Amino acid sequence: MTAIFWLAMVAILLQCFLPYVVLVAIGIDSPAVKLHPATILVIVGGICALATGPSFHQRCRETPGLMLFVVMIPVLAIYASISTGISGVAIYPESYWSAGLLALMLEPASPKQKRFLARILIAYCVFNVFIALYEHMTATELFPAIADPDAYDKIVDPGVDFRANAFFNHPLTGSLITTMAVFLVYAMRMRFISAAVIFGILLVGMVAYGGRTALVVVSIFTVTAAAFVLLRGIIRRNLRLDFVVAVVLGLVIVPILAYVVVTQTTLAERIMDRLYFDDSAEVRTTQFMIFSHLTLPDWLFGISRSHLEVLKLQIGLDSKNTDIENFWLIMVLNLGVIGFTLFTIVFLSFLHHLGRISRNANGWLLVGAALIIDSGSNSLGVKTSDLFMEVPFVVAMSGFADYARSPRLVMPRLLESLRPALRPKGALGEVAATPNRGLQIMASRPS
């Protein structure tokens, strides 16, 4: 399975550094790319994983949520193509099925491989933060953000509210994946200094991407989890000193960092200027008016993309950059109530599987946070890497479930040089150097 793991790593790196914004920048347009290269690679690798691993029956018994997802997503794609047409059906293999197949490829990896994956993901997110800061300083985008990879004319105009997107298709994608990185840092059992520095960099990046929902969700989840662990430690009387120190320093440093970013930089201008019911929030309210224009067949079996564009005009969503910003609503309109009911069962079963395989409470926080953030946008209603990237973050967490960080040696070379000289004798004992065991206290024998 080592070859399949490295094939999955190549697919993840393709998704990271060759997103649709880069494909558009190098001149590859929509008709040429119905599926991302990473998706094609994962489909091949996932089929190989199914063929070389345990039997299908054993997989269904051990991982029912995953296998239900892998089997039923193609069925839902076929159902959607029959009921509403083939336009937009690419989201099922691109946004959903690829994530399930990637899980099949990554889960059998060794803990060491999963920890390596975690470090790669953190390095990638930190790298993107520095790219985002460069974009802010120069007020330019390396790659224009795309609202919908199926409609490349929907290029996001930065306008007066500039938001960096780095190597992500959209700033909201950057906020989401950086949120995943924050929870991964919590699970990696880093030394406090390293974790604090990385957390600060990721926090600045989330501000640069301008994702208000992501910031609020991370803040609430972090405070709630810390309060729970603190209270539980007090009740059980097993509170760790390093955790208390981390909480105290966090309460001091994070507000200072937030104050500096808000008052001394322009990174948080969009977030601070839009702490009200803005046009984005208005769209989220207006979009539900579309239900009043649906017929009974539309409710039951869904509507086509062309029909959806007509209905959007009827409720006032007439701008090319204005879209329905709730993927649940998009899936209801695409599948109808019948197909959407099945989709919800399949999708939530897969999310439950992801939380369980993380073997970490932070994995459940990551899955819950990602679902809340995705529910506030159309991300999973179009071709996106959100769910695809969620899988490696969750799988990487499981590599630290039984991981014990090795203690740092204190001045080993100095002790090694002093070993021959440390032979004083006394009434209580003598200090003797023993081969391969360092310094050892030995009882002296009475003369």
Side-chain angles (χ1 to χ4, degrees):
M1 299 299 288
T2 300
I4 292 180
F5 171 79
W6 290 112
L7 188 64
M9 284 296 304
V10 172
I12 293 169
L13 293 176
L14 283 175
Q15 193 69 263
C16 290
F17 294 104
L18 197 67
Y20 280 106
V21 289
V22 178
L23 294 178
V24 173
I26 62 180
I28 301 178
D29 57 3
S30 179
V33 185
K34 289 299 183 182
L35 292 178
H36 192 276
T39 300
I40 298 173
L41 196 61
V42 164
I43 290 175
V44 175
I47 294 174
C48 292
L50 282 172
T52 58
S55 66
F56 182 81
H57 180 266
Q58 183 179 350
R59 287 182 183 273
C60 291
R61 188 174 63 252
E62 295 176 351
T63 56
L66 174 60
M67 294 309 298
L68 179 67
F69 186 81
V70 169
V71 171
M72 291 307 300
I73 288 299
V75 174
L76 287 169
I78 296 171
Y79 174 82
S81 63
I82 294 173
S83 61
T84 60
I86 62 173
S87 178
V89 173
I91 68 168
Y92 292 96
E94 182 81 4
S95 302
Y96 294 99
W97 201 41
S98 62
L101 296 175
L102 183 62
L104 284 173
M105 298 171 69
L106 288 176
E107 286 182 26
S110 67
K112 185 177 180 180
Q113 289 173 329
K114 293 174 182 178
R115 292 194 292 271
F116 172 78
L117 172 61
R119 297 182 182 100
I120 292 295
L121 293 172
I122 295 299
Y124 167 69
C125 291
V126 170
F127 168 77
N128 271 288
V129 171
F130 287 108
I131 296 295
L133 293 178
Y134 169 78
E135 290 180 330
H136 256 284
M137 287 187 296
T138 59
T140 57
E141 297 172 319
L142 291 183
F143 311 105
I146 299 174
D148 183 355
D150 267 333
Y152 286 178
D153 60 321
K154 291 186 178 181
I155 301 296
V156 178
D157 183 8
V160 295
D161 297 322
F162 181 84
R163 287 190 293 174
N165 58 281
F167 273 82
F168 300 110
N169 290 326
H170 193 277
L172 294 181
T173 305
S175 296
L176 172 65
I177 295 181
T178 307
T179 299
M180 298 179 189
V182 169
F183 290 111
L184 179 56
V185 169
Y186 293 162
M188 288 177 66
R189 303 183 183 182
M190 292 183 179
R191 301 187 186 279
F192 175 76
I193 297 299
S194 301
V197 171
I198 294 175
F199 175 79
I201 293 173
L202 296 177
L203 189 63
V204 171
M206 293 176 66
V207 175
Y209 298 130
R212 293 168 292 178
T213 303
L215 273 174
V216 172
V217 169
V218 166
S219 301
I220 293 176
F221 277 36
T222 299
V223 171
T224 303
F228 173 78
V229 174
L230 188 64
L231 181 61
R232 186 183 64 177
I234 293 174
I235 294 174
R236 296 183 177 181
R237 297 183 180 180
N238 61 352
L239 197 61
R240 295 179 55 181
L241 178 61
D242 56 351
F243 177 75
V244 176
V245 172
V247 170
V248 173
L249 291 179
L251 292 174
V252 174
I253 296 175
V254 171
I256 295 175
L257 178 63
Y259 175 80
V260 172
V261 170
V262 170
T263 61
Q264 305 301 318
T265 71
T266 60
L267 291 176
E269 280 187 353
R270 180 184 184 276
I271 295 177
M272 301 306 297
D273 292 344
R274 287 178 173 262
L275 292 178
Y276 63 92
F277 191 79
D278 61 359
D279 53 353
S280 179
E282 186 177 355
V283 168
R284 289 176 171 86
T285 303
T286 304
Q287 62 192 0
F288 289 99
M289 295 173 56
I290 203 168
F291 286 126
S292 62
H293 297 269
L294 298 181
T295 63
L296 181 59
D298 294 340
W299 274 101
L300 293 177
F301 305 108
I303 60 177
S304 64
R305 281 225 167 181
S306 58
H307 189 190
L308 176 60
E309 293 299 322
V310 173
L311 294 182
K312 282 171 55 181
L313 290 173
Q314 292 179 356
I315 64 175
L317 301 180
D318 55 351
S319 171
K320 74 175 184 178
N321 288 328
T322 303
D323 209 342
I324 293 176
E325 298 192 13
N326 185 300
F327 88 89
W328 295 105
L329 179 53
I330 294 175
M331 299 309 291
V332 170
L333 296 173
N334 182 246
L335 292 169
V337 173
I338 298 175
F340 177 74
T341 302
L342 180 59
F343 165 80
T344 302
I345 296 172
V346 171
F347 180 56
L348 295 182
S349 297
F350 180 62
L351 294 185
H352 177 268
H353 172 78
L354 291 182
R356 188 172 60 84
I357 65 169
S358 69
R359 302 177 61 194
N360 194 299
N362 291 290
W364 291 101
L365 294 177
L366 187 156
V367 171
L371 181 60
I372 293 172
I373 296 169
D374 275 328
S375 297
S377 68
N378 67 347
S379 55
L380 290 176
V382 298
K383 292 197 296 188
T384 180
S385 62
D386 289 8
L387 196 61
F388 182 98
M389 292 300 297
E390 185 174 342
V391 170
F393 276 95
V394 171
V395 172
M397 282 185 180
S398 65
F400 297 89
D402 303 315
Y403 174 69
R405 190 181 64 199
S406 58
R408 182 173 294 176
L409 298 178
V410 180
M411 303 179 67
R413 293 183 180 178
L414 178 61
L415 291 177
E416 184 72 22
S417 63
L418 293 177
R419 182 181 294 176
L422 293 176
R423 293 183 179 274
K425 296 183 179 180
L428 297 179
E430 66 178 4
V431 181
T434 58
N436 301 323
R437 295 187 64 182
L439 298 175
Q440 183 179 10
I441 303 296
M442 301 178 62
S444 61
R445 298 178 181 180
S447 55

